[in-house]
Amino acid sequence: MQLDFSEEQRALQADVRRFFERACPISTVRKVIDSGDSHDPVLWKQVSEQGFLAAAIPEAFGGAGAGYLELCLVAEEVGRALAPLPAVSSLYQAAELILMTGSDAQKRTWLPRIASGDVIATVAVAEAAGNVAADLISAQVSGGKLTGRKWPVSDGLVADLAIVAARCDQGISLYLVDLASAGVSRRAVKSIDPSRPQAEILFDGVAVELLGAAGEGLGLIDAVRDRAAILVAFEQIGGAQAALDMARDYALGRYAFGRPIGGFQAIKHMLADMYVSLELARSNSYYGAWALATNAPQLPLAAATARVSAIEAYKLCSSNNIQTHGGMGFTWEFDCHLHYRRARYLASVLGTSPLWERKLVAAYRSAA
Amino acid sequence: MQLDFSEEQRALQADVRRFFERACPISTVRKVIDSGDSHDPVLWKQVSEQGFLAAAIPEAFGGAGAGYLELCLVAEEVGRALAPLPAVSSLYQAAELILMTGSDAQKRTWLPRIASGDVIATVAVAEAAGNVAADLISAQVSGGKLTGRKWPVSDGLVADLAIVAARCDQGISLYLVDLASAGVSRRAVKSIDPSRPQAEILFDGVAVELLGAAGEGLGLIDAVRDRAAILVAFEQIGGAQAALDMARDYALGRYAFGRPIGGFQAIKHMLADMYVSLELARSNSYYGAWALATNAPQLPLAAATARVSAIEAYKLCSSNNIQTHGGMGFTWEFDCHLHYRRARYLASVLGTSPLWERKLVAAYRSAA
Amino acid sequence: MNFDDTPEEAAFRARARAWIADNAPHALKPELEVAGFGHLHLQSTDALAASKAWQKKKAGAGWAAPRWPKIYGGGEVSPIEQVIWGQEEGVYAKLAGPFVIGLGMCGPTVMHWASEEQKRSLLPRLAAGEDIWCQLFSEPVAGSDLAGIRTRAERDGDEWVINGQKIWTSGALDADWGLLITRTDPGVAKHRGLTMFFLDMKSPGVEVRPIRQMNQESSFNEVYFTDVRIPDAQRLGAVGEGWSVALTTLMNERQSIGGSMPTGVPELFDLCRDMDLLDDGAVIARLAKFAARSSGLRYTAFRSISALSRGEQPGPENSIGKLVAGSLMQEVAQFALDLEGEAGLVEDPLLAVHQGRFQAMLLRSPATRIEGGSDEILRNIIAERVLGLPADIRVDKDLPFKEIPSGAAAR
Amino acid sequence: MNFDDTPEEAAFRARARAWIADNAPHALKPELEVAGFGHLHLQSTDALAASKAWQKKKAGAGWAAPRWPKIYGGGEVSPIEQVIWGQEEGVYAKLAGPFVIGLGMCGPTVMHWASEEQKRSLLPRLAAGEDIWCQLFSEPVAGSDLAGIRTRAERDGDEWVINGQKIWTSGALDADWGLLITRTDPGVAKHRGLTMFFLDMKSPGVEVRPIRQMNQESSFNEVYFTDVRIPDAQRLGAVGEGWSVALTTLMNERQSIGGSMPTGVPELFDLCRDMDLLDDGAVIARLAKFAARSSGLRYTAFRSISALSRGEQPGPENSIGKLVAGSLMQEVAQFALDLEGEAGLVEDPLLAVHQGRFQAMLLRSPATRIEGGSDEILRNIIAERVLGLPADIRVDKDLPFKEIPSGAAAR
């Protein structure tokens, strides 16, 4: 049994980590936040040239063809570095959807450009409060034209391509929409994690192209989010580990009452609980990686399990990191809040815990 | 505003506490447990003579006529002393039901005998796993005869009178059943809290008498349990306070690493959390006492709120009391497990948290 | 048990209510009602000016510092009357923000330690909102460990020369006066070498820099002192007695009774109702537990008020408020965003669900769990003062201050 | 990433499986499958006799103490092979209960500290189940603080005379030998005055009294020593070196890898299915969180096995098992009883829901959170050994043992 990554995979991860340490120090994250930019284009170009995030796109479509295990480890480093990149939108979701259900022509058209970073793609499903559900979707396609309003759309302001869930005669379908088309208007909306910006997009009779079978939109979203959930879980454990490391380092260096605050049991046990939560999430995520890489029938259960525990671990680690830092923890100047915000972004972006708890129990049930 | 008890009421409470300290040391509780008895008959006789538990039964029906606020404080002392008495069955539920909905004749027949302790009454609703619901009741009355099986029935082995929920043509009704009647058979079943024993009762064509309107059984049970929940909440805060006091005293007297274990933050903060939980429950219970005593329209909300927080407080205090005691905490010889068991009894006996959470939200909703 | 006023309380309440009806700035009411956490912003007028105007008007009728002696600008009401006043003042109390530190902490300290002449000159102006006070206690290396402060005061004739830095000072930008704790002798044990002053915030060498919080507001400041001079007459208490003076201030910090802190629970109910989630079992379970805690806080505050009404000191139950409210609000916010789905990502008040109030709670609540005593400090206080458990071991208690290990963070 | 054996592992597994198919007491399988926590009880036969028979048979083929040198009765297999053996042994491992302490803790200590002659005489009998060993460490006043033990050993010629009391000794009633830590010098610091022995449990002056637990089982005993004599030849390590010897024992305590501890989660799923609650939102929310923790434990154990398979030492992740499992099982039990409604009051296996298994968990789980390292001790271990945080301050570290404050509980 090897529920672990190989030495080669660990070596790749170490390379990716060194790359981000060099190319994406926290000042890069803050520059994106302070400027109101969508992402860091230089970093994006470098990452794309390295092929890190295109690890799971087959070489035939311009990807690195390395595989999902490698992509999981890249995601862990993205999370650790708080990298301001449209990975969740463009790679974990849009590229996966096209791979999963696109026609050969669609794959040839889009995947190489997504892999190269020339095209940023996103997925636009939500329109209102609440997790994704058919009755919350009123965007509509008739006569090949899309009309409706989507918000929030992650990376929506900078994306070139959107995969939009909309209503048609057969139910909810997915459509490829070139966001440069006539009839598209969009604006930035303030995001809880300004390093992962959100947009509102209005579609007013925009020409679209069907992706996948008509009427199967929600099933496809569900399927792709099982896959994305595992990649996001790796971002979460990377982020949680970074937050735990920050808290530990601060607890060792900060003195009160003549000793490091990390010597007080209140802090020691809080950090121990963070560690425990993170290890549980990590182990579940490794299992998820196996299920993703092997396309195992256990994928839905593994994805939901990884996601539920990774959401919890990153929430706990990022908020207790603030608590460990005391007053400095809630300043803008310290980086604690960047993890707290990112933890919330990652907890929301593929649908929130209540949705995944349902999925977990449903999957467990059908597995038993 | 006085969300608190009066000096006179506090003086009564002090009397009751002194009474239980004298008449119900922990050896009395253990005697009931070790002997397999249902309760301590000597203590029951003394309590009945003092009229403590009949505080809220009007003098016209043989009670003390003091009132519900007094009964709440008595209940707190019952809980603190872990008194092995059928108070929840006979007084908080059966007597209340008869008071609430009994005919004048029924009141005259039963209340004086319940008040004097000569009759122990109980309520028999459950028949299966799950909180009370119409479809879980299959006991049935036809032609004035009851047939069915009830379990668990608190104090069912020793009770003289049962109020039984059973199916009739109009739905679920309540019936008074003399347990000395022909066709009644019963046996003790092992209880999670052996100081509060349980029974299984079989009814095979037993003559019964309707209590309250036909078809309104579940509504009546619901209404009486709102009232009983507040009294039980006082037992719970009494028990939780006793468990917290035990843990505090042990933490002060037990040394490890050359100092009292109560000086370690892990123990200090655990005890602080117990205190916080208890204070929240106490405040909610005081509000519940006000609602009970004044028959306020807020009673259902106050009852559910008090019950939800008192269940939580007693669970937390009784399990952390074990944890504070370390190895000794899980021995039979130490008293920690008596609170842990009683906490579970009181959490189950009027229906469990999920039921009361529903009631709380429903009441909040209709209040808003 | 009742929720009624005594006849005396009812009479007082009627008087307060009538005065408020006649005098409050009713035009501001709608804006005040929707004002959220943090600094008060008003559209229609300058918030500080509105605050000062209301405070001044209250002072004229003895409502500005209700408990204080009249001679110092107060109203000499009883503790329970102060609570009733607060209930009646309602949303207009939000205007008192700039004066809270002065009225609640600096004023009582001045009243206890200053000369009669100083009291008569300072306190009525404080009460009337003419002077704003701030509290210069915490330092970058001394938060929970307040006695570890390092700002130096060195005697120079009839004056003291101050150098150092304070942090987490609310209202320092607008303040006229500051209550300042300094170290005058680093050669003795940490609690013994401290001395307290009050300082003219316009003195040369005082520099105030706002701190930007994670929620992008600035409720707090850093204050730097470079050779700031204070006359010895502005010393409160003896040289080296500063810790005793600080305890007066801190004891007053924990005395506020009346309202319970916001928890977000009513707002969460509204959200669930609007989203039609009140029949969802998962929602019910969480909501009920949240509501039970929130309700427990509310009635705990009522129990304290009841004690005041009986003329007693409230018991220790009052100490749980912030500890419960801080993490409750954080949990409520996270759960609300869980319900909002992806829409929870949007902070924009114009677009976000319920005007982004849960996003704001999420970003504000971490500060609540730290400011004015962290969760960990509060649990220690409950364990030690309420439950009587032993104090933590203090390795630095008897060391000369300058020999106490301070780690890298102190440099 | 895979769940497959290496070819070598597969060959080993086949060998183990074949041997078990030929040799295991298959008639006991149904009873072993339903056997719960605590002491093993069998209807069909005497459990201790069955245990000894299986252990003896395993010893004959080298499976009894798989990792040990053959010369001491072992099988000289690799760590991952031991895990595979455990997987294949399955329910029959429940028969090993009486030998777990001896094989896991006493044996390795003897192997490290005893003379060659002693090892050759003691260890093969231990491995073969001919001798049962127990561990005489904890005392009423020394639980988490093990180095605080007070049982005295005083030298008398070639013998030592033992007086005192031990507690929490598993298997003392059946034990032939005990590993005994004593205090030989109360005048030096607590860790320095200790000496380790092994003791014939049938010696005069040894008295064993079972402890009744809250769940009415008796997994543990008190052991009293009155002028018990031990030859000096049965000393392990030098006089005063007992703490080092004890560390050998304790390090072995934490090395068990392979299965994750029971959590009650699969049983809770079964309950919910039987009660038709798997569509209830409140149930889903709790169940999913429980399942995620339980699953996390399972795959954490898999990660440790993977490390063994690579020939590495597992990382610190293995330390979280009991900490998570103990409180998880307690929460699961409470929640199951919440679902059972009033029926949850019944403990009777014949009547209770699911044979009373959740009631049994409720009454067993508090012990799990304490035995073999309390939750608090485990958090300290994680904080210090995994995260590198400072140790607690030890006020008693340098005091002579007899001067260490011990409080009323020690008397």
Side-chain angles (χ1 to χ4, degrees), chain A residues 130 152 189-192 225 253-255 257-258 315 323 326-328 330 332 340-341 344 348-349 352 358, chain C residues 140 145 168 212-214 280 330 334 338 340 342 345 347-348 351 362 366 369-370 376 396 405-407 409:
Chain A
V189 297
K190 199 176 166 199
S191 167
I192 192 108
R225 287 192 168 177
R254 169 82 183 184
Y255 278 56
F257 306 106
K315 267 189 201 170
Q323 190 70 16
M328 299 315 300
F330 64 80
W332 182 266
Y340 188 67
R341 292 170 179 275
R344 190 60 241 181
S348 292
V349 70
T352 58
R358 276 174 204 282
Chain C
D145 181 13
W168 311 124
R212 191 176 178 199
Q213 291 149 226
M214 61 180 276
D280 178 319
Q330 191 168 28
Q334 291 279 16
D338 282 346
E340 292 184 9
E342 289 178 81
L345 289 168
E347 235 199 296
D348 240 326
L351 180 63
L362 187 78
R369 294 182 53 197
I370 292 163
E376 289 72 30
D396 62 347
S406 59

Side-chain angles (χ1 to χ4, degrees), chain A:
Chain A
M1 172 192 302
Q2 278 308 321
L3 186 62
D4 213 334
F5 295 89
S6 69
E7 272 181 47
E8 295 70 31
Q9 288 157 348
R10 290 293 184 198
L12 165 76
Q13 181 177 24
D15 284 347
V16 177
R17 187 181 308 187
R18 276 189 296 271
F19 165 81
F20 277 116
E21 281 167 2
R22 201 178 54 242
C24 182
I26 204 75
S27 57
T28 303
V29 184
R30 288 197 170 263
K31 208 181 65 196
V32 167
I33 293 172
D34 293 340
S35 66
D37 285 346
S38 261
H39 64 293
D40 186 297
V42 176
L43 179 66
W44 180 241
K45 194 164 160 44
Q46 289 174 318
V47 168
S48 303
E49 278 165 3
Q50 300 279 346
F52 289 150
L53 285 165
I57 297 180
E59 287 174 274
F61 299 121
Y68 286 101
L69 295 177
E70 289 72 13
L71 185 56
C72 286
L73 295 176
V74 172
E76 187 175 348
E77 297 310 317
V78 168
R80 188 190 315 269
L82 287 165
L85 297 174
V88 179
S89 307
S90 201
L91 279 313
Y92 311 160
Q93 290 191 94
E96 283 293 317
L97 265 175
I98 293 169
L99 257 175
M100 183 189 297
T101 196
S103 67
D104 207 54
Q106 287 168 332
K107 289 182 193 170
R108 279 179 209 291
T109 307
W110 293 112
L111 289 176
R113 295 161 69 192
I114 293 173
S116 70
D118 294 336
V119 156
I120 292 174
T122 188
V123 170
V125 179
E127 301 182 13
N131 280 309
V132 53
D135 60 357
L136 294 181
I137 294 180
S138 54
Q140 192 167 328
V141 170
S142 71
K145 303 282 188 184
L146 168 67
T147 301
R149 183 173 76 121
K150 292 285 176 186
W151 73 276
V153 183
S154 290
D155 308 295
L157 203 61
V158 75
D160 307 288
L161 175 73
I163 298 173
V164 180
R167 196 164 283 288
C168 69
D169 291 343
Q170 289 92 330
I172 308 290
S173 304
L174 299 185
Y175 298 92
L176 287 166
V177 186
D178 183 337
L179 291 175
S181 309
V184 173
S185 56
R186 43 185 164 168
R187 68 178 183 95
V189 297
K190 199 176 166 199
S191 167
I192 192 108
D193 176 8
S195 75
R196 301 286 56 250
Q198 304 298 321
E200 177 186 42
I201 309 188
L202 294 168
F203 301 93
D204 184 7
V206 179
V208 299
E209 180 183 318
L210 184 68
L211 176 70
E216 304 208 339
L218 289 184
L220 289 168
I221 290 292
D222 201 50
V224 80
R225 287 192 168 177
D226 280 351
R227 307 177 70 78
I230 292 161
L231 298 163
V232 167
F234 275 87
E235 287 203 9
Q236 288 164 319
I237 62 175
Q241 182 74 59
L244 172 57
D245 291 348
M246 275 181 77
R248 197 257 324 265
D249 292 349
Y250 192 79
L252 285 171
R254 169 82 183 184
Y255 278 56
F257 306 106
R259 42 196 288 239
I261 62 169
F264 289 92
Q265 286 188 336
I267 301 290
K268 287 168 78 167
H269 292 194
M270 181 161 71
L271 292 177
D273 286 341
M274 291 156 72
Y275 173 80
V276 168
S277 178
L278 173 55
E279 282 308 303
L280 294 175
R282 182 180 297 282
S283 298
N284 283 327
S285 299
Y286 283 18
Y287 181 64
W290 168 82
L292 177 64
T294 60
N295 225 337
Q298 293 90 334
L299 179 65
L301 178 58
T305 306
R307 180 152 175 79
V308 166
S309 58
I311 285 176
E312 193 172 306
Y314 200 10
K315 267 189 201 170
L316 184 76
C317 290
S318 62
S319 64
N320 282 350
N321 182 35
I322 296 175
Q323 190 70 16
T324 303
H325 278 72
M328 299 315 300
F330 64 80
T331 62
W332 182 266
E333 177 195 352
F334 270 49
D335 298 325
C336 306
H337 71 105
L338 303 182
H339 281 292
Y340 188 67
R341 292 170 179 275
R342 180 63 66 90
R344 190 60 241 181
Y345 164 73
L346 294 175
S348 292
V349 70
L350 302 173
T352 58
S353 293
L355 173 75
W356 289 91
E357 287 158 7
R358 276 174 204 282
K359 286 170 67 109
L360 192 162
V361 170
Y364 193 106
R365 210 171 166 176
S366 65

Side-chain angles (χ1 to χ4, degrees), chain D residues 231-274:
Chain D
D232 185 57
Q234 288 176 208
R235 178 165 43 77
L236 293 173
V239 174
E241 204 185 7
W243 185 247
S244 299
V245 185
L247 288 181
T248 314
T249 318
L250 297 174
M251 261 165 40
N252 278 285
E253 183 173 20
R254 307 203 195 282
Q255 275 194 347
S256 104
I257 290 170
S260 41
M261 298 184 65
T263 60
V265 171
E267 292 86 352
L268 181 62
F269 257 103
D270 289 344
L271 178 72
C272 294
R273 184 182 292 108
D274 289 356

Side-chain angles (χ1 to χ4, degrees), chain C residues 29 33 81 94 97 103 117 143 150 153 155 164 173 188 205 209 211 216 248 272 288-289 296 302 317 325 365 377 407:
Chain C
K29 194 171 186 189
E33 273 169 348
E81 287 171 342
K94 292 187 186 179
L103 290 164
E117 188 188 356
R150 313 177 149 243
R155 187 134 196 174
L173 275 176
V188 298
R209 296 188 203 154
I211 298 169
Q216 313 216 39
T248 315
C272 294
K289 291 200 182 79
F302 281 20
E317 70 279 352
S365 49
I377 292 292

Side-chain angles (χ1 to χ4, degrees), chain C residues 91-291:
Chain C
V91 292
Y92 300 112
K94 292 187 186 179
L95 288 167
F99 315 114
V100 162
I101 299 281
L103 290 164
M105 304 182 71
C106 305
T109 310
V110 167
M111 214 174 300
H112 193 277
W113 295 94
S115 71
E116 189 57 36
E117 188 188 356
Q118 287 171 329
K119 293 197 266 188
R120 295 204 188 204
S121 102
L122 293 169
L123 293 174
R125 292 184 54 82
L126 190 166
E130 289 161 10
D131 287 346
I132 293 177
W133 282 65
C134 65
Q135 179 201 335
L136 299 157
F137 279 23
S138 295
E139 296 186 8
V141 294
S144 295
D145 181 13
L146 177 60
I149 60 118
R150 313 177 149 243
T151 292
R152 289 297 310 272
E154 286 167 312
R155 187 134 196 174
D156 180 20
D158 268 359
E159 292 187 324
W160 294 80
V161 181
I162 315 294
N163 281 286
Q165 184 199 346
K166 296 287 175 179
I167 196 170
W168 311 124
T169 312
S170 304
L173 275 176
D174 296 323
D176 303 288
W177 293 99
L179 189 66
L180 173 70
I181 188 160
T182 64
R183 184 162 305 277
T184 41
D185 185 354
V188 298
K190 63 195 260 198
H191 291 87
R192 294 222 215 94
L194 305 173
T195 304
M196 188 77 79
F197 298 93
F198 61 91
L199 164 70
D200 181 343
M201 290 294 284
K202 305 295 179 279
S203 305
V206 175
E207 188 197 349
V208 178
R209 296 188 203 154
I211 298 169
R212 191 176 178 199
Q213 291 149 226
M214 61 180 276
N215 64 352
Q216 313 216 39
E217 299 219 346
S218 287
S219 312
F220 305 102
N221 302 277
E222 294 177 299
V223 183
Y224 292 83
F225 307 98
T226 313
D227 294 333
V228 175
R229 302 188 82 88
I230 307 185
D232 186 57
Q234 288 175 208
R235 177 165 45 77
L236 293 173
V239 174
E241 203 184 8
W243 186 246
S244 300
V245 184
L247 288 181
T248 315
T249 317
L250 297 174
M251 261 165 40
N252 278 285
E253 182 174 19
R254 305 202 197 281
Q255 274 194 349
S256 103
I257 289 170
S260 40
M261 298 183 64
T263 61
V265 172
E267 292 85 352
L268 181 62
F269 256 104
D270 289 345
L271 177 72
C272 294
R273 184 181 293 108
D274 289 355
M275 290 184 67
D276 197 18
L277 291 171
L278 285 174
D279 294 309
D280 178 319
V283 171
I284 286 169
R286 294 295 298 276
L287 207 45
K289 291 200 182 79
F290 290 147

